[in-house]
Amino acid sequence: MRQNFPLSFRSSRSSRPGVRAAVGLAATLALVAVPAAAGPAAAATADARSAPSADPAAVRDWNAIATETVGDHLGSAHPSGQGAVWHSFVSAAVYNAVVGIQGRYAPYKWRVKGPSAASPEAAAVAAAHRVLLDCFPGARARLDAAYADSLAEVPDGRAKEQGVAFGERAADHILKLREGDGRYAPVEFTAEPAPGVWRPTPPDHQPYLDTWLGRLRPMTLTSPDQFRPGPPPALSSARYARDVNELKAMGGRTGSNRTARQTETARFFGGNLLLQFQTGLRDYADRHRLGIADTARLFAAANTSAADAVITSWDAKFHYAFWRPVTAIRMAGTDGNPATEADPKWLPLAPDTPPHPDYISGHATVASAVLRAVTGVLGTSHLDLHVRSEATGTTRHYKHADEFNKDMIDARVWVGVHTRTADVVGCRTGSRIGTWVLSHHFQPLDRAAASQPTQPTQPTQPTQSSQLSLPTPPKCPS
């Protein structure tokens, strides 16, 4: 058992030969998106009959270690999407390390193949460790201890040595790709306070956080503004008045019209969304017995989508600089809209409003992008996703992505930190991002090109250049 990271962040690992063989027999999802009627579990079972026996727990374990390492760096209450950036680096490196050995899927921005006999488990561990150590050198002692523990579970020999070497090479490639990407660049917010313009919010009046995220080079998109939406509603519009009045009625700390269930929903999504997705996807991959390549692909698609959703939402926030609900409601007398009325003492249900503009919602954009990527990878909008909230200490089960999107949009309104328009537009934008990611990356390879001698009975699969067939995207309620 690992000594350096909490047990709750570790996956069950099968080391007995009989159990490992069983894992191998239920290893992976289909090489192409499967019809919703078939379901991801059925596809995984069918596809695993000829899959190599490689334990996917290595990928889940190091996703958990990455989650804790990032959390320690940022703090559990860090109110930005910065964590998605670090998760995308780790997940992309692990994915390249695994598929570079096993084939089946196109590597992310790489054309290198690893030794076919190398251990994909060792490669995944080495890739994750190397990226995390480069990004968080202060965590070296714990990362090195976890690394040694993980590699101790891989049999010694040439396969292990080759896997470690290739995993480190995959990590170095990602780190090289991300050099000079704009992390922590000084980006000054200079907009003067005016009606509709963001300014620090009570109670702490914190300055704009992580402005550089809106200028960061994306993981898959061509630029931060590629999917920048149109502007928020004009202050004089009826739509703006509806947004403000809904927030006054439903998002306030006191005197709200929320039901108890609505209040619980608001608080449920008030915590760390990236943590919710990582733990939920680990649980899904474990319960559905996804193989190592499919587990790596699931995290890579989800986390690169999340990172680009953060970048896109921060670009829009910086560009439009739209004020937050607490400011809009308290200063409604200055908006020129006769359908709004100021309440100078209004406070949101949330203890603090995140220190960056309203439009568009980062939570809604990230959630939609991740769900679009996940449903595309799984080939179905039937999620079967268990989501836990550290904010409420409760777990919810989502059968469909549409339900998750609806709850997310409602929650950000009911907690009082976003207008409904910011959430809905964020959801739609995130869906476009997730579609882009899967249309350009993480696609199945042609069997012959992938060179998989361990899977000689597999039919020829679509080439990397072919368009992946994606299921209908999850809905974004208006």
Side-chain angles (χ1 to χ4, degrees):
M1 303 294 285
R2 287 202 167 79
Q3 310 266 326
N4 302 282
F5 294 89
L7 182 60
S8 59
F9 280 142
R10 295 198 297 271
S11 304
S12 59
R13 179 183 292 273
S14 302
S15 58
R16 300 186 306 277
V19 177
R20 290 177 64 88
V23 170
L25 288 175
T28 57
L29 282 172
L31 292 181
V32 293
V34 296
T45 301
D47 208 36
R49 294 190 183 102
S50 56
S53 179
D55 194 342
V59 175
R60 300 195 304 267
D61 286 350
W62 277 85
N63 171 265
I65 292 168
T67 299
E68 185 174 350
T69 304
V70 171
D72 286 348
H73 172 72
L74 296 177
S76 59
H78 188 75
S80 98
Q82 188 187 139
V85 175
W86 310 115
H87 272 294
S88 71
F89 294 176
V90 175
S91 296
V94 169
Y95 170 80
N96 276 355
V98 171
V99 302
I101 294 170
Q102 288 203 332
R104 301 188 59 217
Y105 301 112
Y108 166 80
K109 296 186 177 182
W110 209 24
R111 295 182 178 273
V112 175
K113 293 181 180 179
S116 60
S119 164
E121 298 102 315
V125 169
H129 172 260
R130 198 171 187 93
V131 171
L132 287 170
L133 195 58
D134 183 88
C135 296
F136 309 105
R140 173 179 286 275
R142 298 194 325 176
L143 290 171
D144 284 353
Y147 178 67
D149 190 22
S150 291
L151 287 186
E153 298 185 33
V154 181
D156 291 336
R158 183 165 177 78
K160 178 177 180 177
E161 294 170 358
Q162 289 181 328
V164 168
F166 188 69
E168 291 177 346
R169 187 179 178 188
D172 289 342
H173 175 70
I174 295 299
L175 295 172
K176 182 70 175 178
L177 280 178
R178 300 308 303 181
E179 287 181 356
D181 61 4
R183 272 171 284 166
Y184 301 115
V187 178
E188 187 176 359
F189 180 73
T190 59
E192 294 291 332
V197 177
W198 182 86
R199 76 283 314 276
T201 56
D204 298 329
H205 296 89
Q206 298 179 49
Y208 199 140
L209 180 68
D210 293 344
T211 52
W212 56 270
L213 282 170
R215 298 293 180 266
L216 189 67
R217 187 196 323 137
M219 292 292 290
T220 71
L221 305 185
T222 59
S223 66
D225 64 354
Q226 179 178 345
F227 290 119
R228 180 191 292 168
L235 298 186
S236 60
S237 68
R239 184 177 182 181
Y240 173 77
R242 287 197 300 270
D243 279 347
V244 170
N245 290 329
E246 180 186 23
L247 280 157
K248 285 182 69 176
M250 299 297 292
R253 191 170 301 177
T254 59
S256 169
N257 294 333
R258 290 185 310 271
T259 65
R261 175 66 174 176
Q262 289 170 336
T263 297
E264 199 276 337
T265 297
R267 288 177 170 150
F268 184 88
F269 289 105
N272 187 325
L273 179 62
L274 265 297
L275 173 62
Q276 289 177 308
F277 273 130
Q278 305 312 309
T279 54
L281 292 177
R282 286 199 301 271
D283 171 73
Y284 180 96
D286 191 14
R287 285 187 296 108
H288 288 266
R289 306 182 74 178
L290 302 192
I292 193 167
D294 287 296
T295 300
R297 183 188 184 217
L298 182 66
F299 282 116
N303 287 327
T304 55
S305 296
D308 282 0
V310 166
I311 293 166
T312 298
S313 60
W314 252 252
D315 164 79
K317 288 174 184 290
F318 193 88
H319 181 75
Y320 294 116
F322 200 62
W323 60 8
R324 283 281 185 167
V326 65
T327 310
I329 292 171
R330 289 183 168 208
M331 299 185 66
T334 69
D335 63 19
N337 193 318
T340 64
E341 183 178 349
D343 181 351
K345 296 183 179 180
W346 189 89
L347 286 171
L349 174 64
D352 299 289
T353 295
H356 36 77
D358 170 65
Y359 186 88
I360 53 179
S361 164
H363 263 65
T365 308
V366 169
S368 180
V370 170
L371 293 175
R372 178 52 170 152
V374 168
T375 57
V377 166
L378 300 180
T380 175
S381 62
H382 295 268
L383 279 182
D384 185 27
L385 194 67
H386 295 286
V387 181
R388 180 165 180 80
S389 171
E390 83 280 12
T392 61
T394 58
T395 298
R396 292 187 174 191
H397 178 255
Y398 283 93
K399 294 181 179 179
H400 300 279
D402 296 352
E403 298 167 355
F404 193 105
N405 278 340
K406 182 181 185 304
D407 278 0
M408 173 60 72
I409 288 172
D410 286 339
R412 302 310 279 171
V413 174
W414 296 337
V415 84
V417 299
H418 275 301
T419 61
R420 184 166 294 276
T421 296
D423 290 321
V424 170
V425 175
C427 183
R428 293 171 180 168
T429 302
S431 183
R432 297 177 68 192
I433 293 167
T435 298
W436 171 274
V437 169
L438 283 191
S439 296
H440 293 79
H441 299 280
F442 314 116
Q443 293 198 13
L445 283 169
D446 176 80
R447 183 184 62 83
S451 183
Q452 298 179 73
T454 58
Q455 297 185 0
T457 61
Q458 289 289 345
T460 301
Q461 298 299 329
T463 60
Q464 180 182 353
S465 60
S466 66
Q467 187 72 10
L468 186 67
S469 176
L470 299 176
T472 302
K475 295 178 182 178
C476 294
S478 58

